[in-house]
Amino acid sequence: KAQHIYNHGEQLLRNHYDNIVSEIEKGTVDETVAVGLLDQWLIEGKLSKEEAITQACVMLGVGMDTTGVTATFMLHELAKNPQIQDALHKEVMEVVGPTSPPTAEQLQKLHLVRNCVRETLRLYPVGTITFRTFTEDTVIDGYKIPAGVLCAIPFIGKFKDKHFLNPEQFDPNRWSADLESIHPFASLPFGHGPRMCYGRRIAELELHVLLTRIVQRFRLSTDQTGLKIKQSAVLEPDEPVIIRMQ
């Protein structure tokens, strides 16, 4: 699968690159303004074609699969929880109305919408593990970890531990009613610090808008009480997700 994605991306990039070079030679494009980040790096020689292909495939996969899978889990949980849907619908109707797309200002006022996204990412972190290398000897819970050791940190277990009341329950209200009792680092689905996911803001915005627009028009239901999940490139369902939209 990875090789197929790479081969397809290579062909698309080669065609795109040839078009960009042709436009530059004709003087029909301003390479300092009118091209994207990868285009600019290619033009300046900061990336080889092979490196650009790899980066493009990563951006495509991380930018689409992650948001799509998170949306699937979120809609599944809402389909199981009609009372949360009722509260969502009420909030969206009061803030946005029945037909219009939400504005940036309105999205800031949709607290339950935002909390639903946050709670979904807690229960179903797309990336379930991260790695860090210790730069100095460290003792954690009585275990000495020498400098230079690479440690794997599993998110999916951490986000369902003692920091949360009823951790297996989908409860968006926990992020407003009991926020002071939740450690600020208890849920970090996008990571933290300089290596935090740089697509975080656009991913959250996409999910906020998607949920708002669905709640405006549809009522969700399902007979699935739970989902089998698997870890592939991202955390994803291991069975079809059946949701009725009325």
Side-chain angles (χ1 to χ4, degrees):
K1 182 178 179 180
Q3 187 60 48
H4 173 75
I5 293 173
Y6 184 88
N7 292 341
H8 186 61
E10 182 180 22
Q11 183 61 51
L12 293 174
L13 181 66
R14 183 182 295 111
N15 295 340
H16 178 68
Y17 179 76
D18 291 343
N19 290 335
I20 288 291
V21 171
S22 175
E23 290 181 5
I24 291 173
E25 291 175 348
K26 294 176 183 177
T28 57
V29 64
D30 181 354
E31 65 268 27
T32 64
V33 176
V35 297
L37 179 62
L38 290 181
D39 295 331
Q40 188 65 37
W41 285 347
L42 278 168
I43 293 166
E44 295 175 358
K46 294 181 178 179
L47 285 180
S48 67
K49 285 188 178 181
E50 290 73 22
E51 290 170 332
I53 293 169
T54 301
Q55 291 296 324
C57 290
V58 168
M59 289 181 178
L60 182 64
V62 171
M64 294 181 64
D65 290 352
T66 52
T67 308
V69 169
T70 300
T72 300
F73 284 129
M74 178 173 64
L75 297 180
H76 165 75
E77 286 294 336
L78 290 175
K80 296 193 309 179
N81 291 277
Q83 73 281 7
I84 297 177
Q85 283 191 71
D86 291 340
L88 273 172
H89 184 77
K90 182 175 184 294
E91 178 181 76
V92 170
M93 291 301 103
E94 291 177 351
V95 176
V96 182
T99 58
S100 302
T103 65
E105 182 180 358
Q106 289 170 337
L107 285 173
Q108 295 300 317
K109 299 177 181 179
L110 295 174
H111 303 296
L112 184 55
V113 167
R114 299 165 68 87
N115 286 344
C116 282
V117 172
R118 193 171 187 179
E119 179 71 347
T120 302
L121 288 166
R122 180 191 71 82
L123 273 177
Y124 306 99
V126 177
T128 61
I129 195 168
T130 190
F131 298 91
R132 291 293 184 268
T133 301
F134 282 75
T135 58
E136 57 186 38
D137 292 352
T138 305
V139 177
I140 298 179
D141 286 342
Y143 292 93
K144 181 179 179 181
I145 304 174
V149 169
L150 178 65
C151 287
I153 305 170
F155 285 158
I156 197 165
K158 183 181 185 306
F159 294 173
K160 298 181 181 180
D161 65 8
K162 60 185 179 182
H163 292 289
F164 300 97
L165 182 65
N166 300 320
E168 296 292 339
Q169 179 180 343
F170 182 78
D171 180 14
N173 291 315
R174 75 171 76 246
W175 297 105
S176 55
D178 198 28
L179 190 57
E180 292 185 359
S181 67
I182 300 176
H183 193 284
F185 285 178
S187 178
L188 297 173
F190 294 98
H192 180 72
R195 294 180 64 85
M196 182 179 69
C197 173
Y198 54 73
R200 173 182 179 177
R201 298 307 180 192
I202 184 65
E204 290 178 328
L205 178 61
E206 288 174 330
L207 291 165
H208 295 155
V209 173
L210 173 68
L211 181 54
T212 300
R213 297 299 274 166
I214 287 178
V215 166
Q216 282 178 316
R217 299 183 60 185
F218 297 101
R219 179 75 173 181
L220 309 179
S221 60
T222 183
D223 295 325
Q224 292 176 298
T225 58
L227 287 179
K228 297 177 182 178
I229 59 176
K230 66 179 179 180
Q231 175 64 49
S232 183
V234 296
L235 188 72
E236 60 186 27
D238 195 22
E239 61 179 313
V241 181
I242 310 299
I243 298 174
R244 288 184 293 271
M245 304 180 71
Q246 297 173 313

